[in-house]
Amino acid sequence: MDELTREEAMEVLEREYVAHLGVIADEAPYVTPMSYVVDESRILFRTMPGRKLEGIRSNPSVCIEVSRFDGETGDWVSVIVRGTARLVEDPDTRQQTVVRLFEKYEKVMGSPLSRSGGLVPLGGDPQVIEVPIDHISGMSSGRGMHVRTKPGRL
């Protein structure tokens, strides 16, 4: 396995579409997939009231994992971010986050206005959460002459 540089880890965060958020909810670990956007210093996402949001409110220390696996070659890369989640109160940041989410996911899901079942705007009272990238690390299956490892070191 090879360690990624910060720049390589940030590139993975920017290119991938699914992250897994780990929180403590109801005194137990809870991990859920999520859509997200990233800038130089934080990860932003929307969520509705529920287990994920309650976990963040009760213990804002979170872990976010993003990975990529190539089924043909067996190559993989994984990035882990740790930070302290907080609700975004600024209306401009909230709106810009929604715009950026729609722009990012329209490429893979279609327009929210299309009849092809594209993105569906969240109803109710969605919250925007930011997680400053306090710590980032990443590993890959190996490059060059290294023996490749399998995900989870199988």
Side-chain angles (χ1 to χ4, degrees):
M1 289 190 300
D2 289 327
E3 192 169 336
L4 301 179
T5 65
R6 179 181 177 84
E7 293 76 24
E8 290 170 326
M10 289 298 293
E11 182 181 337
V12 171
L13 287 180
E14 291 166 4
R15 287 184 175 215
E16 296 305 314
Y17 290 94
V18 178
H20 294 90
L21 173 72
V23 300
I24 300 297
D26 301 323
E27 299 181 26
Y30 178 71
V31 178
T32 184
M34 66 176 196
S35 304
Y36 69 98
V37 292
V38 64
D39 62 23
E40 295 102 28
S41 63
R42 64 189 172 172
I43 294 172
L44 297 131
F45 61 95
R46 287 196 316 168
T47 189
M48 294 295 290
R51 195 169 184 189
K52 177 175 27 177
L53 186 56
E54 290 308 312
I56 289 170
R57 285 184 169 146
S58 67
N59 182 351
S61 182
V62 301
C63 182
I64 298 171
E65 187 272 346
V66 175
S67 59
R68 176 180 14 182
F69 178 74
D70 185 325
E72 291 182 22
T73 66
D75 290 343
W76 59 269
V77 63
S78 175
V79 172
I80 295 184
V81 171
R82 291 192 315 254
T84 303
R86 56 182 168 248
L87 273 68
V88 174
E89 301 294 339
D90 175 57
D92 291 336
T93 303
R94 290 170 57 99
Q95 180 62 31
Q96 185 60 28
T97 299
V98 171
V99 168
R100 290 182 64 209
L101 283 163
F102 276 87
E103 287 173 352
K104 178 180 179 179
Y105 291 94
E106 181 180 26
K107 296 173 191 168
V108 294
M109 299 182 75
S111 167
L113 304 175
S114 74
R115 294 184 180 184
S116 63
L119 294 173
V120 177
L122 294 176
D125 186 27
Q127 299 294 312
V128 173
I129 307 292
E130 68 177 355
V131 178
I133 301 173
D134 296 336
H135 179 268
I136 185 170
S137 62
M139 300 295 285
S140 73
S141 55
R143 301 173 216 157
M145 300 301 289
H146 296 287
V147 175
R148 287 194 170 92
T149 62
K150 300 293 182 197
R153 298 185 191 175
L154 294 177

